[in-house]
Amino acid sequence: MKTSIATVSISGNFEEKLTAIRDAGYDGLEIFEQDFIAHDAGPKEVGRMIRDHGLEIMLFQPFRDFEGLPPERRQKAFDRAERKFDVMQALGTDLVLICSNCAPDSLGGIDRAADDLAALGERSATRGLRIGYEALAWGRHVNDHRDAWEIVRRADHPNVGLILDSFHSLARRIDPDTIRRIPGDKIFFVQLADAPWIEMDLLYWSRHFRNMPGEGDLPVAAFLSAVASTGYDGPISLEIFNDQFRSGNTALVAEDGYRSLIALMDTVRRQEPDLRVDLPVLPDPVAIEGTAFIEFCSRGAEADALETLLKSLGFHRAGEHIAKRLTLWRQGDIRILVNRETEGYAASAYTMHGTSVCDIGIQVADAKDTIERARLLGSAPFHQPLGPSELDIPAIRGLGGSVLHFIDRKSGLAQVWDVEFVESASDGTTANAGLRAVDHIAQTMSYQDMLSWSLFYVALFRMRKAPMLDVIDPDGLIRSQAIEADGDTLRITLNGAETHRTLAGEFLADSFGASVQHIAMTTADIFQTAQRLRELHFAPLPMPTNYYDDLEARLDLDPSILARMRAENILYDRDEGGEFFQLYSPPFSNGMFFEIVERRGSYAGYGAPNAPFRIAAQKRFLRPKGMPRR
Ligand code: MG
Ligand code: MG
């Protein structure tokens, strides 16, 4: 199976699209006719230009409203088709997509449609061309791939085949396994698109909300599995109509698409071992064991303030790097690094974003396999010059320029703490507030980038997406989506900001796009932790009394527990599985903060119902009364 993408899927002019498609690694493309018509060179030149980019033209599309026309309009449709055949021959492509008729005056009847396709197939054959028939989900008479297949079967012409499009079948909830009955050599082309489940008009849904396989909710893997089982080995092509992608960064959207295709083909190959793909074998999706470390870049007084905050949270200074100005802070299984280097990656991250998280270390089963899978999915490896006796810990560039390091036990990388760090001289603090592990890492991005980030995590790791939530900021909406590793060994919440007036949006603007906005850590007993924190002079984010009055009115809480929550500024939520307690630090630097959580039972969320009140409290803290909003 070759990889392809329709030109309509990405933004830009024709040349920009070609460059992005080539650079992302596709074998070829579908020419969406509008893109061709808008371009100011003839078909011969366009064909040459595409081949000069090393790309194959897999399909020309769409040819609309052809089959089943009343007699007086039928001849005109054939004439129109001949004109398009001229263009195809000049372009140098042999396959055109004919989508099922939507014209109000078109006539139904499977045999009538089959006759029309057979007649057009005969004409195309004299030119060495082929025609593919696709059922649009909103076709006037044909809107189901099973009917389209019956028409193609009855047309019974070697130059007439079927075109499948995952959106049209899956959006109408047609069982993809019905594809398994179709002979693979009668499927001429396969288009893939995913989409979020939204109840709306099919045409509008398709034209605006399609997204890359894995970014939405449709069972695209089951669809491709069924296709693969037929023996089909033609192109697999992305046909994505999406408002964000049309205005997004051309290269990034093309890369995301390629990543989604490779990850999907890898998934399907595991289910259908006979699938013929020209792909190197990818290592398995990566199992995550936990968060190995979180590294901040900082300087001078800001770094001092961060370390004071860490101390007040019960962290102790555990080690100093042998060669760098890099300090290790520990508590429970949590490792936080503070990097004060003035050269190298952390230094440039500091210059760009100020005090911020510049690096996340993830503990995996096999670091080498992780890098290999990431590379094959299109991520760039990250390298920094190594000092003497430093371990070569594999790393990649995550999204937004961030860095992810991978540590495993297998190749001895987990020894890094013993090899590269010496124990810090005791600073007299032996405090411990009972924090045990990282619960979740919250990354903030612009709303447009969210799909890209979730795809990145889900394609590389054994992680799954939780449903998207709306979080209410007093100044706008934040979209929030959790991505969770199997066994909850790592939880990431992605927060997409649509305006800079929200807390998340302000953070993005002030930090020039830093990603990690907060880190949540677990405790087994939030009340004991709160008491320890008070002794350590930690000042929690103050919550208003209205919040507790409302909790009291809404929930049947033990009055003594409620009183303690009120006294300690602890927030509360519950679901069917259990209870959730939260305690926040005030914001620091450009609006980062720490969160402490206790999960009781199998509470699955992140306290989203509390977010409006927490965000308002943080904004009061950042912008005391009477100060104007920016
Ligand atoms: Mg299509
Ligand atoms: Mg949180």
Side-chain angles (χ1 to χ4, degrees), residues 31 129 161 185 191 208 218 291-292 317 345 477 564 573 622:
I31 297 184
L129 304 178
D185 61 350
Q191 296 174 319
H208 300 274
L218 303 182
T291 308
R317 197 181 182 104
Y345 166 70
L477 266 194
R564 289 181 76 189
D573 188 30
L622 288 168

Side-chain angles (χ1 to χ4, degrees), residues 97 134 165 168 191 210 239:
L97 177 147
E134 175 196 57
D165 180 321
H168 294 305
Q191 296 174 319
R210 289 185 177 215
E239 191 200 26

Side-chain angles (χ1 to χ4, degrees), residues 439-442 493 495 518-521 580 582 584 593-597 599 605-608 614:
D439 183 86
H440 61 271
I441 298 170
T493 57
N495 298 294
H518 79 261
I519 298 162
M521 301 169 288
F580 192 56
Q582 303 169 280
Y584 283 93
F593 53 94
F594 289 102
E595 177 187 359
I596 296 165
V597 305
R599 290 177 187 272
Y606 299 84
R614 179 263 296 173

Side-chain angles (χ1 to χ4, degrees), residues 283-284 286-287 289 362-370 391-392 394 406-416:
D284 293 344
V286 176
E289 295 178 353
I362 298 179
Q363 176 105 18
V364 292
D366 189 317
K368 261 219 326 272
D369 277 359
T370 308
L391 299 184
D392 190 6
F406 300 107
I407 286 189
D408 64 10
R409 276 184 267 270
K410 196 175 174 180
S411 39
L413 296 171
Q415 309 294 311
V416 61

Side-chain angles (χ1 to χ4, degrees), residues 329-601:
W329 292 81
R330 288 209 61 175
Q331 184 171 190
D333 289 335
I334 311 163
R335 289 185 176 86
I336 289 180
L337 293 165
V338 179
N339 189 326
R340 300 180 187 232
E341 285 287 287
T342 52
E343 273 171 40
Y345 166 70
S348 50
Y350 177 80
T351 307
M352 178 98 177
H353 306 297
T355 295
S356 57
V357 171
C358 60
D359 196 343
I360 296 174
I362 298 179
Q363 176 105 18
V364 292
D366 189 317
K368 261 219 326 272
D369 277 359
T370 308
I371 292 293
E372 183 60 3
R373 185 171 171 88
R375 192 182 64 76
L376 291 169
L377 288 169
S379 292
F382 170 81
H383 295 287
Q384 253 206 142
L386 287 180
S389 76
E390 283 182 359
L391 299 184
D392 190 6
I393 300 179
I396 56 166
R397 283 268 180 194
L399 289 142
S402 59
V403 168
L404 289 176
H405 273 89
F406 300 107
I407 286 189
D408 64 10
R409 276 184 267 270
K410 196 175 174 180
S411 39
L413 296 171
Q415 309 294 311
V416 61
W417 311 114
D418 302 327
V419 176
E420 290 191 20
F421 288 81
V422 293
E423 207 173 311
S424 305
S426 169
D427 59 358
T429 52
T430 51
N432 182 320
L435 304 188
R436 294 179 154 191
V438 172
D439 183 86
H440 61 271
I441 298 170
Q443 297 188 304
T444 296
M445 64 223 54
S446 74
Y447 174 63
Q448 284 89 317
D449 296 335
M450 276 186 92
L451 286 175
S452 205
W453 286 67
S454 65
L455 176 68
F456 170 80
Y457 287 114
V458 173
L460 179 55
F461 300 109
R462 290 171 58 155
M463 294 185 96
R464 61 191 182 277
K465 290 182 292 182
M468 177 104 63
L469 290 176
D470 289 337
V471 168
I472 316 292
D473 180 298
D475 296 303
L477 266 194
I478 305 294
R479 306 295 182 83
S480 184
Q481 171 146 55
I483 315 276
E484 296 157 342
D486 287 1
D488 293 331
T489 46
L490 176 68
R491 295 179 175 101
I492 296 198
T493 57
L494 304 179
N495 298 294
E498 295 197 57
T499 146
H500 75 269
R501 287 172 46 188
T502 58
L503 188 72
E506 268 183 40
F507 167 73
L508 270 188
D510 291 349
S511 67
F512 291 92
S515 77
V516 174
Q517 189 168 10
H518 79 261
I519 298 162
M521 301 169 288
T522 57
T523 170
D525 185 336
I526 194 124
F527 295 107
Q528 220 166 50
T529 290
Q531 193 184 325
R532 279 298 287 140
L533 291 179
R534 213 167 343 101
E535 291 157 18
L536 292 166
H537 309 293
F538 169 83
L541 179 74
M543 290 301 294
T545 191
N546 293 349
Y547 172 76
Y548 295 98
D549 293 345
D550 174 62
L551 275 189
E552 191 172 10
R554 238 169 0 103
L555 304 171
D556 189 17
L557 281 167
D558 180 330
S560 70
I561 293 192
L562 188 69
R564 289 181 76 189
M565 290 198 293
R566 202 188 277 269
E568 306 284 11
N569 295 287
I570 291 170
L571 293 79
Y572 179 83
D573 188 30
R574 62 163 73 135
D575 65 13
E576 323 74 62
E579 295 179 293
F580 192 56
F581 298 85
Q582 303 169 280
L583 181 61
Y584 283 93
S585 82
F588 64 95
S589 186
N590 291 312
M592 274 183 291
F593 53 94
F594 289 102
E595 177 187 359
I596 296 165
V597 305
E598 182 190 340
R599 290 177 187 272
R600 288 191 193 163

